[in-house]
Structures are given as structure tokens and as C-alpha cells.
Amino acid sequence: MGILEKMRLDGKAALITGGARGIGKSLATALGEAGADLVIADLDLEEAEKTVSSLKEDGVRAIAVRADVTVSDDVITMVEAAVREFGELNVAFCNAGIVINKKAEEISLEEWRRVIDINLTGVFLTATAAGRQMIKQGKGGSIINTASMSAHIVNFPQPQCSYNASKAGVIQLTKSLAVEWADKNIRVNCISPGYMGTELLLASETLKPLIAAWESVTPMRRIGRPEELQALAVYLAGDASSFTTGSDFIVDGAFTCV
Ligand SMILES: NC(=O)c1ccc[n+]([C@@H]2O[C@H](COP(=O)([O-])OP(=O)(O)OC[C@H]3O[C@@H](n4cnc5c(N)ncnc54)[C@H](O)[C@@H]3O)[C@@H](O)[C@H]2O)c1
């Protein structure tokens, strides 16, 4: 099989959390373009439905599901929806995440828990629900988690200790699942983006004013665009990455190199 053929995802069903907008939407679009059927899962059903409508206009088979990744029943329901609609689940992209920019001495326990719950426990719940389904199917699968360069460095000047800790946890969870499921050919990898121009940054009054400062210390002198992660997601989802598991891919315009 040629390399371009191995990058095709025809006949595979993929679930994307936080798929309604931003990185999730962009990478879902790429998986769909490569031939996958999609479950767009998000807390915001209205936005997820808009994303599904635009995917369908491009001829992609897709459904929207409302799911909060911190709620176990919701997560089980979204995996069941994938199986009901498409017969099985082959790819899970555990991507939903939030950031709270509060100083360590000021962040409340409730806010800390909210970030850890969505960013780390949400990945655990989604990846294990998908993993159980893939084990049952007996054909392997690919799980992709969204970590962050914040798992590797401490962002500055904005304070975000809960986010940084949650993302470091995502990398070690990814490696743990990769080792546990290697003999089942369920591969688990993560993507660690640098700053990307999504609502997470652009809609934040704390973060948006800092973009120029971040760009000045990024060797590529700019923040990234979600579509610059698309080829990596397609590679990780399919057979082209058959020996890639337990890996973390930093995509940050060399921010973490300096
Ligand atoms: N934008 C960046 O600079 C950047 C950099 C590194 C990592 N990331 C990570 O990428 C992922 C996507 O970020 P983004 O920039 O696209 O953010 P975004 O805010 O644009 O999109 C996040 C999506 O997740 C959904 N969501 C939030 N909480 C949820 C929950 N509990 N259950 C289900 N869905 C939920 C939101 O409704 C939204 O549609 C996050 O994990 C984020 O931490 C982003």
C-alpha cells in the first residue's frame, strides 16, 4: 500500500470531543476529508450541529452529540452513538479543554478542580470508554489526546498552574495507556500545540492582549493556525502511524526550543 493510501481513513469512525470549534473542529474536518465518519461531541450542541452541517455540505458523514467530558454517562453515550451510527469506533480524539488564568494563591479549589476535571479526567474518561469499545472490537484503534506545550514549559506572564499541571498529566496518561494497550494494537499519542489562534485565546480578555508578546519570543514570530495540526492528526489516526504509540508531538513554531 502506498503512503497516500495509508493516510486515507475511509471506513473508519472517529469521535472528537470539543469538536464544535477551534482545534477540534479543524482536525475533525481533516479526518473527514481523509474519509472518516465523524461524531462531533461537545458541551455546546448548537455549535456542534453547525459544524456537522458544514461537514455534511462537504459530503462527510457526521453526527453531533451533546456531551460533557467530565460526566461518565455522557461519555459512554457518545461512544454508543458512534457505534449505533457507524457500526464501530476506530479513532478517538480527546481534545476538549479549558484554561483558567488565575494566580496560584488566588485560584479556588472549585476552579482548580474544573480545569483538572475537563482537561485530564475528561481525557481519561473518553480514552478509556473508547479503549473498552476498541478492545471489544478486537481490531486495534487510534486514540489522540490534546496536551499542550504547557505540559513542557511554564507559560509567561499569564498564570495558569492548573492548566499546566493538567496537560503534563495528559502526557503521562497517554504514555500509560499506550503501554497498557500496545498488545491490543490500540495506539495512544498526544499532540502538544503551541499558541494557536482559536477562541480559547481570541475570546479571552486576559490572553488576547498577550499575543504580540508571545509572537516576539517565538522563533517563527507568529502564533499557529489550527489547520497546521491537520496533517499530524490524519497521520496519527490511520495506518501510516502503525508503529507510533506513546509519543507526544510538539507543534509550536519552535517556542519551546528557546
Ligand atoms: N488554542 C491554543 O493555543 C491551544 C494550545 C495548546 C493546547 N490547546 C488545547 O487544545 C484543545 C482545544 O482548544 P481550542 O483552542 O480549540 O479551544 P476552544 O475553546 O476554541 O474549543 C474548545 C471546545 O471544547 C468544548 N468544551 C469545553 N468544555 C467541555 C466539556 N466539559 N465537555 C465537552 N466539550 C467541552 C467547548 O465547547 C469548545 O467547543 C484544548 O484541550 C486546549 O487546551 C489549545
Side-chain angles (χ1 to χ4, degrees):
M1 198 191 286
I3 187 61
L4 290 180
E5 216 178 317
K6 284 186 187 166
M7 296 287 280
R8 293 292 311 171
L9 303 174
D10 304 281
K12 291 190 195 293
L15 165 72
I16 299 98
T17 68
R21 68 177 202 192
I23 292 172
K25 179 180 176 180
S26 178
L27 302 202
T29 304
L31 298 180
E33 203 179 315
D37 302 323
L38 306 177
V39 177
I40 303 296
D42 206 287
L43 203 50
D44 185 342
L45 181 61
E46 205 180 316
E47 205 58 30
E49 280 171 344
K50 280 191 214 154
T51 298
V52 163
S53 298
S54 75
L55 287 163
K56 282 184 172 167
E57 276 169 27
D58 294 333
V60 176
R61 293 209 301 165
I63 57 166
V65 176
R66 190 212 166 266
D68 181 338
V69 295
T70 69
V71 177
S72 180
D73 283 351
D74 281 14
V75 171
I76 290 166
T77 303
M78 75 190 176
V79 170
E80 285 173 352
V83 176
R84 195 171 49 246
E85 190 71 19
F86 302 121
E88 52 187 41
L89 179 67
N90 313 104
V91 178
F93 178 30
C94 313
N95 163 77
I98 61 160
V99 62
I100 294 181
N101 296 108
K102 288 254 182 104
K103 292 180 180 168
E105 69 272 29
E106 287 170 9
I107 188 168
S108 68
L109 178 58
E110 197 184 325
E111 288 166 326
W112 164 273
R113 283 194 172 136
R114 183 85 189 127
V115 174
I116 300 293
D117 260 13
I118 297 176
N119 293 9
L120 179 56
T121 310
V123 171
F124 166 75
L125 287 174
T126 307
T128 50
R132 278 192 291 273
Q133 177 61 31
M134 290 170 184
I135 290 168
K136 195 158 51 163
Q137 292 166 190
K139 301 178 176 179
S142 171
I143 295 174
I144 307 164
N145 299 325
T146 306
S148 170
M149 71 171 177
S150 310
H152 299 270
I153 50 95
V154 174
N155 305 66
F156 187 80
Q158 72 278 22
Q160 49 181 54
C161 66
S162 56
Y163 183 87
N164 300 343
S166 71
K167 294 298 187 179
V170 169
I171 293 184
Q172 195 63 349
L173 174 62
T174 299
K175 291 182 182 181
S176 304
L177 298 179
V179 170
E180 285 197 37
W181 294 338
D183 62 349
K184 298 177 175 63
N185 200 27
I186 298 169
R187 298 179 298 98
V188 191
N189 294 287
C190 56
I191 300 179
S192 282
Y195 293 114
M196 294 281 146
T198 68
E199 295 292 298
L200 185 112
L201 300 188
L202 304 176
S204 160
E205 281 173 25
T206 319
L207 299 179
K208 199 174 170 205
L210 300 175
I211 291 177
W214 299 332
E215 287 178 334
S216 73
V217 292
T218 303
M220 289 199 87
R221 299 284 183 220
R222 64 176 178 86
I223 62 170
R225 298 182 293 273
E227 62 267 29
E228 293 178 298
L229 302 169
Q230 287 180 326
L232 177 56
V234 173
Y235 162 72
L236 290 175
D239 297 339
S241 58
S242 50
F243 196 54
T244 305
T245 194
S247 297
D248 171 48
F249 294 81
I250 302 177
V251 182
D252 67 350
F255 185 97
T256 54
C257 295
V258 294

